[in-house]
Amino acid sequence: MSDQQRSALTPAGRAEHLARLRAATAQAPLDVLVVGGGVNGAGAAFDAATRGLSVGLVESHDWASGTSSRSSKLMHGGLRYLQMLDFKLVAEALRERDLLLEHTAPHLVKPIKFVFPFFRKVVDRGFIGSGVMLYDAMQSIGRKRAVPFHRHLLHEKMLEVFPALDGEKAVGALEYYDAQMDDARFVMMLVRSAAQHDAAVANYTTVVGYLHEGEQVIGARVRDEETGEEFEVHARETILAGGVWTQEQQELAGAEAGLEVLASKGIHITVARDRIPAAPDTGIITQTEKSVLFIIPWDEYWVIGTTDTPWTQDPRDVGATRDDIDYVLDHANEVLADDLTREDVIGVYSGLRPLLQPIAKSAGKGEGKGSAKVSREHTVMEVEPGLSAIAGGKYTTYRVMAEDVVDFAIKDSQPGRPSLTRSIPVVGAQGYQALVRDKQEIGRRYGFDEIRTDRLLFRYGALLSDVLALIDANPDLAAPLEHAPRYLRAEVSYAVRAEGARHLADVLQRRTRLDYETRDRGVAAAEEIAEILAPELGWDQTAVRREVEAYRDVIDARRAGESVTSDEIVAARLAGVSEVPVKN
């Protein structure tokens, strides 16, 4: 079996992965069980698997279905952290960003230019300019640069690069580089990378309890949400990567020490690309009274955000309010010459940032060996013997966080196994550059224009060969979707054959991003996509109808929330619907 075949998350493969998890008994436990399929959990599973450990990874919903699919989609150093004088964090993030760009994930992460406008000529140019100069200098110490140096833009050049800026307010700008990625696809590729190195991975598999031997956690009891079957998975070490659900899992484990995680809501809107004229692959960053505002070019649209407000409702029911959307529009309009309105908004998505601090709930188990490793951005802590938790952090430094939590978890049970992920690429990286060199031939052979070919390469990397093989076997799959021509029918088929999609919403929201890329939020394409998925997943017409109706109900609830001002009302409406059809 090839590495690519081993990484494929097929329906039959899921059954095999579940069987391997089921086989992890008290007599033959896994070395590491990871709970949570966001970027931290997927990264930890990949890290542990590449060390030669036996690894399991379970996620109660779809891969990246929480915070990890609802970010600003940037791999960046964190320019704003220089203001906080957190030089170590910025240097670490820049080093990891460059590693992704040049070695471990060049097919998933690409450079992007940002224009940082000045509104006070002397003060801003001096203050912001010195910060970005330091930012650039930190990228040049001891290694080859992965992106070009920054440059200053005078007023006329600024408007040439970004004509949409309000030239009466902005007196000049600075142009610098960072990087961007598709967050949900990045996590799914990490999961595939873990599977490629023999990790047993299963989405829609919920932890319903933790196994104990005295005070020691020795694994978890899980439920396959597709069948309702429950079984035990034994492990020498268990890693909790639950994000905003961390406290819920700690309580389930009965931990007396743990991480306190608060949720902060961030929303983004999408706007048609032609609505904001600018040079190719160039965005805007500017400071707000709370954080920063990004106007980010992405495919045929702009991603604009974000907000930062406390969320006290159920994390499963996060959604945007009218006030959230107006806040983003208002701040974008402060720097744009031509104001955006609600009619310009194509889509909206919302996520929760985990804000944390280590705590001890009571004296006892959590003290002594139950220590913590804390950085400004993430924390690793033993919440019970055998159960280590990680939370917080930047997307860009996921690899460092994974290394930290695996080092922490196995320091006693598996000493002498260092992390290898600095040198092991994410699946799809090997062979990517060869396909880039051949992209004109790919376009000619399959009738793709350059935009589609580039889009496919950025989505799949070297795995594009597998997608094209589906078309070779069935030329009908080369056709674009009728109501979402950005995507091919082959991509839908591949989502279930190799990317672990189990439900219609997995494809519409995470394998593609149609829930915010089209004005109807993917509803028009839902039926066609469901019909493609049906034979792959064994659905009859009743199942197809239920999947489509469930998705429409979710979109209706999200849209309804966008017209009210209360988080409580938004959460109540979303609590009444589910992406996954309820079984009778």
Side-chain angles (χ1 to χ4, degrees), residues 216 236-237 369 382 386 406-416:
Q216 183 86 11
R236 293 182 177 89
E237 305 293 341
K369 189 185 175 189
E382 183 182 71
V406 176
D407 281 348
F408 187 88
I410 70 168
K411 61 183 181 295
D412 295 328
S413 61
Q414 298 282 345

Side-chain angles (χ1 to χ4, degrees), residues 241-285:
V244 292
W245 288 274
T246 297
Q247 284 180 262
E248 179 182 292
Q249 289 295 309
Q250 289 172 168
E251 290 168 5
L252 185 64
E256 293 181 4
L259 299 172
E260 180 181 11
V261 179
L262 304 177
S264 173
K265 180 173 65 168
I267 79 123
H268 295 76
I269 65 173
T270 56
V271 172
R273 192 71 173 268
D274 60 6
R275 187 62 182 79
I276 304 175
D281 298 322
T282 303
I284 291 177
I285 177 176

Side-chain angles (χ1 to χ4, degrees), residues 467-485:
V467 180
L468 299 178
L470 296 181
I471 295 174
D472 292 339
N474 181 1
D476 290 344
L477 293 177
L481 295 173
E482 181 181 358
H483 296 287

Side-chain angles (χ1 to χ4, degrees), residues 66-68 70-72 80-81 243-245 261-268 290-292 294 305-311 315 318 327 350-356 377 391-393:
T67 300
S68 294
R70 304 175 190 184
S71 73
S72 295
R80 67 190 178 99
Y81 291 106
V244 292
W245 288 274
V261 179
L262 304 177
S264 173
K265 180 173 65 168
I267 79 123
H268 295 76
K290 293 182 179 179
S291 181
V292 295
F294 290 108
T306 180
T307 60
D308 188 359
T309 57
W311 180 263
V318 63
Y327 176 91
S350 312
L352 296 175
R353 303 180 193 90
L355 307 177
L356 64 116
E377 277 291 293

